[in-house]
Amino acid sequence: MEIYFLGTNAGVPTLQRNVTSIALRLMEERRSFWMFDCGEGTQHQVLRSPLRLGKLEKLFITHLHGDHLFGLPGLLSSRGYQGGTAPLTVYGPPGLKAFLDVSLSVSQSRMPYKLEIVEHTGGLVFEDETFKVEAGLLEHRIDSYGYRVTEKDSPGSLNTELLQSYGLKPGPLYGKLKKGEDVTTESGVVIRASEVVHEPKKGRIVTILGDTRPCPGSLPLAQEADLIIHEATFAHDLAEMAYQYHHSTAVQAAELAREAEGRELLLTHFSSRYVSQEELTPLLEEAQAIFPQTLLAEEFCTFPVYRRK
């Protein structure tokens, strides 16, 4: 599980950074990746990345401002030309379907895959046997949502050395043990699953928050997350401006991560006034003074999501 940034700028693209888009790479877990937001030019960013749109499985939109949305029609249209034939589901706030219906129909875009559009107003938006995704309303000029992606715990591995000492070879009984069932060997030895199965692997939690100023809705989404991705549009000397524009400072993002007892914080969605990564250093230092496990997002960079021991 890895995070890969395709765009980290706020509002409009610059020569240094594109507008918002984040990929959650799940190649080991699902042989696919998910995308969060799709600002204008995202498909160009994908071409410069190791990502392949044919592997895009799900796309989540936080809110309907253009810097998070305007790249979506082009990306959906291009996906078919890049080998994308598997179904794709797009999730987002009410109004998303109308936007896509009009843009895709007027342009007569034809896609060789099933496209499903799911509008939501928060709550559980997706769940299967390995993952669930919950959404919560934040505080922005329009409805903006954060997403909490929870990887479910996976069964622990078998102690194969111990099993071989019992004379048990790989086969159907291995599967029963991994499911927690006790088994009996041909020689009559009872093997208890609790003695030969390691502890379950704890699932990871990734929280990706859309545009927001500090609000109560952020905390439940971020609680004890392994990785929190939070906007940091301004340094804290512009806190009043951030509030007026319904955005957050790096300090406010760090305060949330600390209160939520998260493990790591990634700052993104930077104002164009901070041109280079060096000019973002004060934002990083402000945040690290409150929450030391803070990093700056950087486009075309991979950030692993580490599993708790």
Side-chain angles (χ1 to χ4, degrees):
M1 183 186 291
E2 299 171 329
I3 290 291
Y4 188 88
F5 285 92
L6 293 162
T8 61
N9 212 57
V12 295
T14 67
L15 292 174
Q16 293 75 29
R17 299 190 299 266
N18 199 47
V19 286
T20 298
S21 184
I22 302 167
L24 175 61
R25 300 178 69 183
L26 301 168
M27 300 310 295
E28 292 185 6
E29 296 80 9
R30 304 177 71 93
R31 307 304 303 168
S32 67
F33 76 94
W34 295 355
M35 187 178 288
F36 292 81
D37 285 333
C38 189
E40 182 183 359
T42 294
Q43 65 172 311
H44 291 274
Q45 299 290 86
V46 170
L47 292 174
R48 300 171 58 194
S49 79
L51 303 172
R52 296 295 175 263
L53 288 180
K55 295 292 186 180
L56 177 60
E57 179 189 6
K58 296 183 180 297
L59 203 159
F60 300 86
I61 299 297
T62 61
H63 64 295
L64 303 185
H65 276 155
D67 59 323
H68 296 253
L69 180 69
F70 283 168
L72 188 52
L75 182 138
L76 295 179
S77 180
S78 296
R79 182 174 182 262
Y81 293 103
Q82 298 183 26
T85 57
L88 172 63
T89 307
V90 181
Y91 303 82
L96 175 63
K97 188 175 188 304
F99 171 78
L100 287 177
D101 283 348
V102 170
S103 57
L104 295 176
S105 62
V106 168
S107 62
Q108 297 187 21
S109 299
R110 294 178 174 85
M111 292 163 290
Y113 59 88
K114 179 183 177 182
L115 175 64
E116 183 180 7
I117 303 168
V118 177
E119 294 186 335
H120 67 81
T121 54
L124 181 66
V125 298
F126 168 75
E127 185 172 19
D128 66 5
E129 65 277 4
T130 56
F131 282 89
K132 71 175 180 179
V133 181
E134 300 161 285
L137 185 63
L138 305 173
E139 191 170 311
H140 194 47
R141 290 192 294 115
I142 62 174
D143 284 355
S144 179
Y145 291 86
Y147 291 98
R148 179 181 175 92
V149 180
T150 302
E151 178 188 32
K152 296 183 178 180
D153 296 349
S154 57
S157 59
L158 292 174
N159 187 336
T160 55
E161 290 184 4
L162 182 56
L163 289 173
Q164 289 172 4
S165 72
Y166 286 121
L168 191 64
K169 297 180 179 180
L173 294 184
Y174 273 41
K176 289 185 177 181
L177 287 167
K178 196 151 189 176
K179 291 178 182 178
E181 302 175 20
D182 299 339
V183 302
T184 303
T185 67
E186 293 180 356
S187 60
V189 176
V190 176
I191 302 177
R192 302 194 182 281
S194 60
E195 298 174 353
V196 296
V197 180
H198 295 297
E199 289 293 320
K201 292 181 180 179
K202 181 69 176 174
R204 290 158 287 186
I205 299 173
V206 175
T207 298
I208 300 175
L209 301 175
D211 289 8
T212 186
R213 59 190 180 190
C215 68
S218 298
L219 185 58
L221 294 170
Q223 195 70 53
E224 296 183 349
D226 296 288
L227 180 63
I228 301 169
I229 300 176
H230 197 298
E231 69 135 288
T233 309
F234 300 106
H236 203 62
D237 61 339
L238 297 175
E240 184 176 344
M241 178 184 292
Y243 184 83
Q244 291 174 352
Y245 285 96
H246 294 80
H247 284 297
S248 297
T249 68
V251 164
Q252 291 164 343
E255 289 172 341
L256 171 70
R258 181 179 62 185
E259 184 178 2
E261 299 181 344
R263 290 186 62 213
E264 190 171 16
L265 171 66
L266 278 173
L267 302 178
T268 187
H269 198 269
F270 308 118
S271 167
S272 299
R273 70 184 60 230
Y274 311 110
V275 177
S276 65
Q277 287 295 112
E278 290 74 19
E279 290 180 89
L280 291 171
T281 299
L283 280 72
L284 178 63
E285 292 173 346
E286 287 180 346
Q288 287 180 335
I290 295 168
F291 189 78
Q293 295 78 34
T294 301
L295 295 172
L296 294 175
E298 190 170 351
E299 291 171 27
F300 308 118
C301 284
T302 299
F303 296 85
V305 184
Y306 296 105
R307 190 183 300 275
R308 292 177 185 264
K309 295 183 180 180

